[in-house]
Amino acid sequence: MKTKQLTTDQLKETAKILRDGGIVAVMTDTVFGLAVKYPDIKAYQALVNAKGREEHKPFPFMISALDQLSAIALANEKGKKLAARWFPGALTLVFKKHPQVEDFYTDNKDTIAVRMPKDDFLLSLGQAVGTPLLLTSANLAGQPPALNSGEVLQQLDGRIDAVVLGSAQGNKASTIVDVSGEEFQILRQGGITLEEIKESLVQTIALGADHGAFTQKNDLKKHLEERGIKVLDFGCFSEESCDYPDFAYPAAKAVAEKKADLGIVLCGSGIGASITANKVKGIRCALVDDPKWAKITREHNDSNVLAMGGRVLDSAQMIEIADIWLDTPFSGDPRHQRRIDKIREAEVREEE
Ligand code: RB5
């Protein structure tokens, strides 16, 4: 086989080689990698042969979008949280394997290693292929990893379909965290520290209020912190008259940008704060004045921001509602998921 030499300008051509079952060497944020499409048994076997592997060691999977995860892994809350926080980045997560992934891909183990490297070309390539990829280091079994296309060709010329010319970023290897069980386990310490992993698993709430709910915001903050929750307080910081969008917007934005898991926004009625929060893409803010709706909106709407009114509820009532809201998981019911997907589609249409 002749190994084609491609440049990063040839994204479409590179994606086609992968879609057709070929092996492509491509730079990553660490070393050079060899990629093949998943699922494709022939491409998988060709990759094993190209590397000259004798013993069977499973290849890590690469996703280029978070929504590719559910097809290959059964992620628990911790796993989803770490993926949302660190992908793309220097993290490999070991999940429980999705039953539809055939056992030989994981050497009969019920776990699967998944990574989303932080490299723009590689991510665009994955998106152009449209499926997860298998991604392993671009070297022969037992040989040192290659850092640039020249080193790849020295080892693999004629054994792979194509190489994208260039150099890998050479960053520290990814940290590997096993999130397949109840407790997470660090299997290899790499670019992300144990402290950073722990910190990113602490539940974080973004909080914002205007003067109409200043007292309640402070009481709520104290209560959340007593529960062990980290609070990002976006103000306000006095009872002086102010404008609710100045606090509700950054709080909602922190949720959309995954700096916080959930948000709580308050104003006199709760209405202005909820309208503001719902302007942020990806936010589903629910205005609630009764505990029963707190439960329903988590179960049905998977609301990620809660709005309440300081002229409607006192601190104790807000705390009761917030606790129920925080402790109620989304039901996962397909009919609710379908409706949420339609909200997302509406957002996309609005952007066009
Ligand atoms: C402020 O007076 C008030 O308008 C605000 O807190 C809120 O009720 C807006 O919806």
Side-chain angles (χ1 to χ4, degrees), residues 209-213 241-245 266-276 308-312:
D210 75 359
H211 56 288
S241 176
C242 55
D243 302 337
Y244 53 83
L266 314 172
C267 63
S269 60
I271 298 171
S274 68
I275 293 173
T276 307
M308 294 182 285
R311 299 197 177 105
V312 184

Side-chain angles (χ1 to χ4, degrees), residues 167-343:
S167 293
Q169 292 175 41
N171 294 339
K172 230 178 176 179
S174 64
T175 295
I176 306 178
V177 182
D178 185 337
V179 282
S180 63
E182 267 304 297
E183 295 305 319
F184 76 90
Q185 247 186 304
I186 302 257
L187 303 182
R188 177 179 75 191
Q189 170 86 65
I192 298 169
T193 65
L194 172 61
E195 279 319 301
E196 287 174 310
I197 294 290
K198 278 190 184 157
E199 171 81 19
S200 54
L201 285 169
V202 174
Q203 188 175 27
T204 305
I205 304 281
L207 190 58
D210 75 359
H211 56 288
F214 176 67
T215 310
Q216 289 93 327
K217 186 206 74 170
N218 290 340
D219 291 342
L220 199 51
K221 180 178 177 182
K222 187 163 168 274
H223 173 74
L224 294 173
E225 285 174 344
E226 280 166 5
R227 276 189 56 160
I229 293 169
K230 182 172 158 192
V231 176
L232 304 180
D233 186 349
F234 289 94
C236 62
F237 298 106
S238 83
E239 278 177 321
E240 207 177 303
S241 176
C242 55
D243 302 337
Y244 53 83
D246 294 342
F247 314 100
Y249 179 66
K253 198 78 183 149
V255 177
E257 287 172 353
K258 313 254 184 252
K259 291 179 182 140
D261 301 297
L262 296 166
I264 301 181
V265 293
L266 314 172
C267 63
S269 60
I271 298 171
S274 68
I275 293 173
T276 307
N278 277 317
K279 294 287 173 204
V280 178
K281 190 174 171 209
I283 293 304
R284 294 178 300 280
C285 175
L287 174 57
V288 173
D289 64 358
D290 184 293
K292 77 168 177 277
W293 301 123
K295 187 166 181 295
I296 296 273
T297 184
R298 286 286 309 127
E299 287 174 345
H300 291 203
N301 319 118
D302 196 12
S303 52
N304 48 13
V305 176
L306 169 69
M308 294 182 285
R311 299 197 177 105
V312 184
L313 302 164
D314 61 24
S315 294
Q317 290 169 315
M318 279 198 190
I319 286 170
E320 187 192 355
I321 289 174
D323 276 346
I324 292 172
W325 186 72
L326 290 172
D327 295 338
T328 306
F330 172 52
S331 68
D333 186 317
R335 75 182 195 281
H336 295 314
Q337 186 58 58
R338 184 181 66 237
R339 292 162 190 165
I340 292 167
D341 291 344
K342 288 187 178 181
I343 297 176

Side-chain angles (χ1 to χ4, degrees), residues 103-114:
D103 287 340
F104 68 84
Y105 278 111
T106 57
D107 195 21
N108 294 312
K109 291 202 189 94
D110 67 346
T111 54
I112 186 168
V114 185

